[in-house]
Amino acid sequence: MTDIRYLSPSTLDEAVSAFAAAGSAARILAGGTDLLVQMRAGSVRPGLIVDIKKISEMTAIEETADGGFRVGAAVPGAVLAEHPRFGKVWPGVLEAVNLIGSTQVQGRASAGGNLCNSSPAADSVPAMIAAGAIVTVAGPNGRREMPVEAVPAGPGRTHLKPGEILVSFTLPPRPPGSGDAYLRMIPRTEMDIAVVGCGVSLTLKGGVCTTARVGLGAVAPTVLLVEAAAKALVGSKLDDAALSAAASACSAACRPIDDKRGTIAYRTKIAGVLLKRTAAIAAQRAGGN
Amino acid sequence: MNVITNNKWIGQRTIRPDGVDKVTGRAAFAADTTMPGMIWGKILRSPHPHARIKSIDTSKALALPGVKAVVTARDIVDFPVDKSVMLGIQDMRWMCRNVMAREKALFPGHPVAAVAATTEAIAAKACELIEVDYEVLPWAIEIDDALKADAPILHEFNKFEGKPSNIAGKLEVKKGDIAQGFKEAEVVIERTFTTRPVHQGYIEPHACLISVAADNKTTIWSSSQGQFMVRAMTSYLTGIPQSDIRAIPAEIGGGFGGKTIVYLEPLATLLAKKSGRPVKMVMTREEVMRATGPTSGSKSTVKIGAKKDGTIVAAQGTFYLQAGALPGSPIRGAVGCSFSPYDIPNVLSVGYDVLSNRSKVAAYRAPGAPIGAFAVECVMDELASALKMDPLELRLKNAARQGTKAAHGPVFPRIGYVETLEAAKAHPHYAAPLGKLQGRGVASGFWFNAGGESSAQVNITEDGNVVVTTGHPDIGGSRAAIANVCAELLGIDYRRVSVLIGDTATVGFSNLTGGSRVLFASAMVVTQSTEKVITTLRERAAKIWEIDPEAVKWENGAAHPASPNAGQFEPLTLAELAAKAPQMGGPIGAGVQLNTEGAEGGFGTHICDVEVDVELGIVRVIRYTAVQDVGRAVHPGYVEGQMQGGVAQGIGWALNEEYIYNRDGKVDNPGFLDYRMPVCSDLPMLDTVMVQVPNPKHPQGVKGVGEVPLVPVMAAVANAVHNALGKRFYSLPMSPPKVLATLEAEG
């Protein structure tokens, strides 16, 4: 029964000042595929909604001068899928973003919203972490950058400061021989939430893995960057021993809970299984480049 | 087989009359109805699994601006616990306590009060302002917990073997001498199985709009499987006579048995009566999942004994089924159906109705039968292995046939069970090669089917077309099938026949849509009505031609002289006779009301292939063939749809569906995200084979087809998983964590 104010500013400055001025009662609206559901369920009752979709920087996809990509925080999954180049360079990030919700939801849902909603099971986040994406945030004190993995603080909480808005993701340029992939375990085949999600990005040179990053979702309060798993892959030819070591590192990194979506034992075990399968796809894509 | 092949419309895949409305969004479901001055009703629900209600203070809610009425159990007609008042299979003692908690709240989500206000938000706010003083009591959710010696007792008045108990009923069927039977057995398999409660999963949440005039004349728009059930239950629970209530059935968005009882209608009626305003109520999905009937969870022990040659000599089953918080689990289906596919000389089948602090169960597609079949058909599979027999051969050797006396009483007439087994055996699916980590299982199932009360009116319009009104909400294609039947009999294009579902004031009493009874019963009354209409049409033609009515025959939509002896006349079409009706005796139409008899049980045999991802514990169904004796497929497309729908629901039940409870005794997954029904991409094409053994007791040979296809599914899937892995799952669902844990534990 409380009134809700709705603003749709066309500049980031306007958005930041309105958002910061309203304090904790304000919510950012990108695709709204989490926010509107939470409002309907009565778990969130915002006094101000700041719709960021009219801010061009938030909905732009740019290729940077060095060959990387900058993706606006409010770019819907369906729009990212239609980009002629993005999915060729970052197929794993794209497949992860495109797993957020159903086909209908993809018309709205964004990677920025997925990150800021801060669910440990968010599909796009492990892939973004694996990709080494850096986010730009804007707040009352100007802009700053941080790695994706530094954003989530726990379920539903982020390390963004009061008044800060997530603006964009910057993905680094890809050396030749690189590939990425994202896999999740769900009991169904679609329309479900990850029981475990795994993103892997790697670069191969002469069959040897030179760099690797691994993101693991739904196994801890936040999506994890699993450096030990990456370390196990780097320097190897992705042979069984290296993959087993990386899988064990993933299982060891798990700090999951027993809940309606899976048990501790189950999540811990399949984190390793997914690592092996995801790394195999990433390696295949790297070889195909 | 006695299949009639010269029909024009019966057996055709005619276009469904509700199709365009449904795909264009024009179909009016209960939640689409509005009225001037309408207000909104909301329910305050118990947060506790078990609590005595010491007091309810509604004063703050009533004082909130916009609130027009509040009702509690005091406003609902009480049915004292010591005197049963039955309406069909429902006991009003339990219905009055289910729609609103009376002495105690019995499950989380149990209604405690209801509010009507000018907006939904005000009604929700008012619910928060109602102060309920609860004395929280210990609770029991699972069967084993409810049956412990020191279990919390839900109802002190409920006694079993002389003592307060959570066992609310026992049902036993017997045939022969079970002890002697097992003595003769050379191979005996006995196993215990558990299944979880599963929800019907209809897409449309319960909804109604109700207006009560100052003189109590009440109009109900609601979605249900029976407008007459809605009228009767609302009348019982509000005290308004049935003659003052008009229940109008909305288009229904799925029921599967779950809409055979009321939840909202009595509350909305009382709110409308108190407020003087039409009241609309629409459940949220969460309310549907917390407070409306799933079917029972179960614990079953089945023991089957056979001779070495495969002759089954004895079978025993003990089935504990959860009723939820008030008596009434479908033990009849488990006890009666489980052994019915087999001719077994000695049978003992016993069911127990177990109370616990979860929502009261409601009917779900062949209520109880899939639970029993899961246990029996898995034991049959083990028995076949032990005897080194093909599982279909074991079933064929022991199959029920014409003349077999079923343990639950009847002697089977001509039935088509053997034909389903033979068709399954001959199907290419049964011989197809399997890959690594793939397996194949088979299972059979039986459902009683039903007849009962049905009414219909067939009227010829002034322009010579036809309007048929029946009294059963159409949840399985009955309108299209009835149009086929009526068009066939009248010899006209089926598009000239409109079939409508009447409300309680415009058509005679018709029992629920349930038990796979609707086409059986309504085709019977529509046939008789149409035959009366044809008699009238022949009489009219005879009058015009001035000959004897016996000398007129009805063919291809027109009256003709029956023979050259009758005279030379140009045929009189339906349209011509309709045009002459005012001069020749008045309107043409006929209605028939019957308590239909002769429904015969149905049998199915299913083949399922699965593939198991042993690293993730995921079972995928990769091929499925359902074979069923469908009597006569009046509309084959709908029959196949029923078969596929039943299989899809069974696969969900087998693999992923379950209520998950948290430590506070509350359902933790009250929505479709975490209550995992299968989505389209989870399923392969579900192949169907219709075996047609017409029911000799029905004018079109109809047998019920809607429920049988759910009965064998869980066992077929479990048997396939066993075949793939060499491991048997005795408890459902076979969800990934459970599958992986089992694989790891046993190496």
Side-chain angles (χ1 to χ4, degrees):
Chain A
M1 275 175 282
T2 43
D3 289 340
I4 301 171
R5 277 198 308 139
Y6 169 85
L7 294 177
S8 55
S10 55
T11 69
L12 192 53
D13 287 347
E14 279 176 81
V16 166
S17 58
F19 185 53
S24 63
R27 285 287 183 283
I28 296 293
L29 174 73
T33 58
D34 286 310
L35 179 64
L36 297 187
V37 174
Q38 290 160 1
M39 286 170 64
R40 282 197 156 212
S43 60
V44 171
R45 291 174 184 180
L48 170 69
I49 290 173
V50 182
D51 185 344
I52 56 170
K53 286 191 291 293
K54 300 229 165 82
I55 302 167
S56 57
E57 188 179 356
M58 298 283 206
T59 56
I61 306 169
E62 296 168 54
E63 289 195 59
T64 56
D66 61 0
F69 279 91
R70 192 176 299 115
V71 179
V75 171
V79 172
L80 195 61
E82 284 170 2
H83 191 276
R85 289 254 311 141
F86 185 85
K88 293 197 172 79
V89 180
W90 292 105
V93 172
L94 183 62
E95 68 197 354
V97 171
N98 287 159
L99 282 173
I100 306 168
S102 61
T103 301
Q104 293 90 331
V105 168
Q106 278 288 305
R108 286 277 175 183
S110 63
N114 201 222
L115 179 61
C116 291
N117 186 53
S118 207
S119 160
D123 281 310
S124 68
V125 181
M128 285 285 192
I129 288 176
I134 303 292
V135 298
T136 300
V137 298
N141 300 318
R143 292 184 173 232
R144 65 183 179 118
E145 293 189 333
M146 60 207 280
V148 164
E149 58 270 24
V151 175
R157 293 181 296 115
T158 70
H159 284 121
L160 298 188
K161 292 181 183 144
E164 280 189 332
I165 300 173
L166 185 79
V167 179
S168 61
F169 296 85
T170 303
L171 288 93
R174 287 302 253 169
S178 298
D180 74 332
Y182 174 76
L183 283 181
R184 62 176 183 175
M185 190 281 155
I186 52 172
R188 289 187 288 215
T189 46
E190 59 181 318
M191 303 296 290
D192 216 330
I193 286 191
V195 178
V196 174
C198 180
V200 172
S201 173
L202 47 76
T203 303
L204 300 178
K205 209 169 196 176
V208 176
C209 179
T210 56
T211 64
R213 283 173 66 88
V214 175
L216 204 53
V219 296
T222 60
V223 181
L224 303 176
L225 169 67
V226 189
E227 288 174 315
K231 215 179 248 177
L233 298 177
V234 173
S236 81
K237 291 194 157 182
L238 303 182
D239 49 286
D240 287 350
L243 288 171
S244 290
S248 301
C250 281
S251 292
C254 292
R255 286 174 282 123
I257 52 170
D258 275 329
D259 72 0
K260 58 194 170 191
R261 296 182 184 137
T263 59
I264 291 170
Y266 182 73
R267 287 183 152 121
T268 305
K269 172 86 204 267
I270 65 165
V273 175
L274 286 188
L275 178 281
K276 289 184 188 178
R277 294 185 183 184
T278 314
I281 298 168
Q284 193 192 13
R285 287 173 179 168
N289 273 359
Chain B
M1 268 178 268
N2 169 28
V3 177
I4 301 153
T5 51
N6 59 349
N7 289 138
K8 182 144 193 235
W9 296 109
I10 290 172
Q12 291 300 311
R13 296 164 190 265
T14 49
I15 291 172
R16 55 193 289 174
D18 53 325
V20 171
D21 278 358
K22 279 179 176 161
V23 299
T24 57
R26 213 174 58 141
F29 296 92
D32 295 323
T33 314
T34 56
M35 266 190 96
M38 180 184 96
I39 60 174
W40 292 84
K42 287 267 177 205
I43 294 173
L44 174 68
R45 296 177 182 276
S46 167
H48 305 294
H50 197 191
R52 196 173 309 287
I53 298 170
K54 294 164 78 177
S55 66
I56 302 177
D57 183 349
T58 61
S59 54
K60 285 183 187 157
L62 279 165
L64 185 70
V67 172
K68 300 295 179 190
V70 177
V71 299
T72 65
R74 275 187 213 177
D75 300 287
I76 291 162
V77 175
D78 187 14
F79 289 81
V81 297
D82 51 6
K83 188 166 171 270
S84 175
V85 177
M86 297 303 290
L87 179 72
I89 60 165
Q90 301 297 337
D91 189 324
M92 297 314 296
R93 290 178 295 172
W94 318 137
M95 287 313 302
C96 84
R97 282 164 180 78
N98 196 47
V99 298
M100 190 70 88
R102 190 158 281 276
E103 302 84 3
K104 294 200 286 188
L106 297 165
F107 60 92
H110 199 171
V112 172
V115 176
T118 49
T119 70
E120 282 185 275
I122 295 172
K125 179 75 191 163
C127 284
E128 290 173 20
L129 294 174
I130 295 173
E131 290 167 4
V132 186
D133 187 7
Y134 293 105
E135 178 193 344
V136 177
L137 302 169
W139 39 266
I141 304 250
E142 303 301 340
I143 291 174
D144 287 346
D145 296 331
L147 295 182
K148 275 182 192 157
D150 60 346
I153 298 295
L154 272 77
H155 306 291
E156 286 295 329
F157 59 81
N158 182 72
K159 305 249 184 353
F160 185 73
E161 293 172 347
K163 285 182 295 201
S165 169
N166 289 325
I167 295 181
K170 180 183 176 186
L171 178 70
E172 185 176 291
V173 303
K174 260 190 215 173
K175 180 184 168 192
D177 179 341
I178 192 72
Q180 184 57 35
F182 279 114
K183 249 183 230 165
E184 291 166 16
E186 293 166 319
V187 180
V188 176
I189 306 279
E190 180 175 7
R191 298 285 183 261
T192 294
F193 300 83
T194 60
T195 67
R196 309 292 291 163
V198 291
H199 199 270
Q200 295 83 351
Y202 33 82
I203 296 296
E204 179 201 24
H206 300 259
C208 67
L209 169 62
I210 297 179
S211 165
V212 182
D215 60 357
N216 270 354
K217 291 275 189 281
T218 300
T219 309
I220 300 174
W221 290 266
S222 78
S223 164
S224 79
Q225 287 175 241
Q227 61 275 43
F228 291 91
M229 173 280 297
V230 168
R231 181 178 76 175
M233 283 201 182
T234 305
S235 171
Y236 270 123
L237 297 172
T238 62
I240 299 171
Q242 290 190 17
S243 53
D244 280 351
I245 300 175
R246 183 178 179 194
I248 301 172
E251 193 64 61
I252 180 169
F256 311 105
K259 291 177 183 166
T260 55
I261 57 174
V262 294
Y263 297 94
L264 299 176
E265 288 89 340
L267 308 182
T269 299
L270 292 167
L271 289 168
K273 192 175 165 183
K274 274 196 171 184
S275 65
R277 305 270 291 266
V279 172
K280 181 166 179 170
M281 298 181 85
V282 181
M283 280 197 200
T284 62
R285 179 66 55 192
E286 182 174 342
E287 287 179 295
V288 171
M289 296 304 286
R290 288 199 191 286
T292 72
T295 193
S296 308
S298 68
K299 183 172 175 179
S300 309
T301 301
V302 164
K303 181 178 172 185
I304 302 180
K307 296 276 195 193
K308 280 183 183 150
D309 70 353
T311 306
I312 297 174
V313 288
Q316 184 170 354
T318 310
F319 306 98
Y320 290 88
L321 267 63
Q322 286 171 322
L326 292 155
S329 70
I331 45 179
R332 177 176 162 265
V335 167
C337 294
S338 303
F339 299 111
S340 290
Y342 308 108
D343 184 0
I344 308 173
N346 305 294
V347 177
L348 175 61
S349 187
V350 185
Y352 295 94
D353 188 27
V354 183
L355 296 160
S356 69
N357 294 107
R358 45 197 334 160
S359 54
K360 174 176 165 51
V361 301
Y364 179 24
R365 210 166 193 159
I371 291 169
F374 171 57
V376 169
E377 295 297 308
C378 285
V379 170
M380 286 294 287
D381 205 55
E382 286 200 60
L383 188 62
S385 303
L387 294 165
K388 300 191 166 52
M389 277 180 83
D390 174 273
L392 289 178
E393 287 296 341
L394 176 64
R395 286 172 172 84
L396 266 172
K397 190 169 178 68
N398 295 282
R401 297 160 193 264
Q402 185 167 3
T404 299
K405 184 171 166 41
H408 67 278
V411 174
F412 288 125
R414 175 79 174 91
I415 53 174
Y417 178 47
V418 166
E419 285 83 349
T420 69
L421 291 166
E422 284 168 347
K425 225 175 89 183
H427 197 281
H429 181 174
Y430 199 56
L434 286 165
K436 214 178 142 217
L437 295 172
Q438 295 179 349
R440 177 166 301 143
V442 297
S444 294
F446 167 81
W447 175 247
F448 306 116
N449 292 329
E453 302 96 330
S454 193
S455 303
Q457 176 73 30
V458 175
N459 289 331
I460 306 303
T461 57
E462 297 96 297
D463 63 355
N465 293 308
V466 188
V467 175
V468 181
T469 309
T470 76
H472 310 289
D474 175 5
I475 63 172
S478 53
R479 279 171 292 191
I482 288 294
N484 283 2
V485 168
C486 188
E488 186 76 49
L489 294 168
L490 281 170
I492 58 172
D493 191 296
Y494 90 102
R495 280 161 291 210
R496 290 173 61 191
V497 183
S498 279
V499 184
L500 306 176
I501 313 302
D503 65 60
T504 56
T506 57
V507 65
F509 178 79
S510 300
N511 212 326
L512 289 169
T513 296
S516 297
R517 60 176 296 267
V518 166
L519 188 62
F520 172 83
S522 57
M524 209 178 256
V525 290
V526 167
T527 297
Q528 293 193 12
S529 303
T530 308
E531 284 168 349
K532 285 190 176 188
V533 165
I534 291 170
T535 300
T536 303
L537 291 165
R538 286 170 51 224
E539 286 167 0
R540 297 290 167 90
K543 206 169 168 185
I544 292 166
W545 292 334
E546 296 178 337
I547 62 173
D548 192 88
E550 295 305 311
V552 179
K553 64 176 180 182
W554 187 263
E555 238 175 46
N556 294 323
H560 302 262
S563 70
N565 297 343
Q568 290 287 326
F569 303 103
E570 283 299 303
L572 279 166
T573 65
L574 183 58
E576 286 163 345
L577 288 167
K580 292 181 199 294
Q583 294 79 40
M584 305 308 292
I588 305 168
V592 168
Q593 298 178 275
L594 280 180
N595 196 0
T596 62
E597 289 177 357
E600 293 300 339
F603 295 86
T605 298
H606 293 188
I607 313 169
C608 172
D609 289 0
V610 299
E611 181 174 286
V612 185
D613 180 333
V614 292
E615 288 183 317
L616 297 179
I618 297 175
V619 176
R620 298 263 186 246
V621 175
I622 55 172
R623 187 170 181 184
Y624 204 103
T625 305
V627 186
Q628 188 173 322
D629 170 18
V630 301
R632 184 121 166 271
V634 173
H635 191 295
Y638 265 117
V639 174
E640 290 162 351
Q642 287 289 324
M643 291 167 70
Q644 292 172 318
V647 172
Q649 288 185 310
I651 290 172
W653 195 341
L655 296 181
N656 278 308
E657 288 181 44
E658 65 178 319
Y659 284 75
I660 298 162
Y661 279 78
N662 67 17
R663 283 182 198 148
D664 303 324
K666 286 180 80 167
V667 175
D668 205 19
N669 57 336
F672 283 152
L673 183 56
D674 288 304
Y675 180 87
R676 293 191 169 86
M677 300 181 69
V679 296
C680 282
S681 54
D682 293 344
L683 303 172
M685 180 63 193
L686 303 170
D687 290 318
T688 55
V689 178
M690 295 183 289
V691 173
Q692 301 204 41
V693 179
N695 179 355
K697 298 177 187 168
H698 190 274
Q700 285 82 31
V702 168
K703 281 178 190 165
V705 299
E707 285 165 293
V708 171
L710 176 54
V711 181
V713 184
M714 291 104 77
V717 176
N719 291 340
V721 171
H722 175 260
N723 185 239
L725 299 177
K727 289 188 192 307
R728 190 164 283 283
F729 286 80
Y730 295 97
S731 107
L732 299 182
M734 294 176 278
S735 59
K738 205 190 267 176
V739 170
L740 197 63
T742 304
L743 288 172
E744 303 241 297
E746 297 172 18

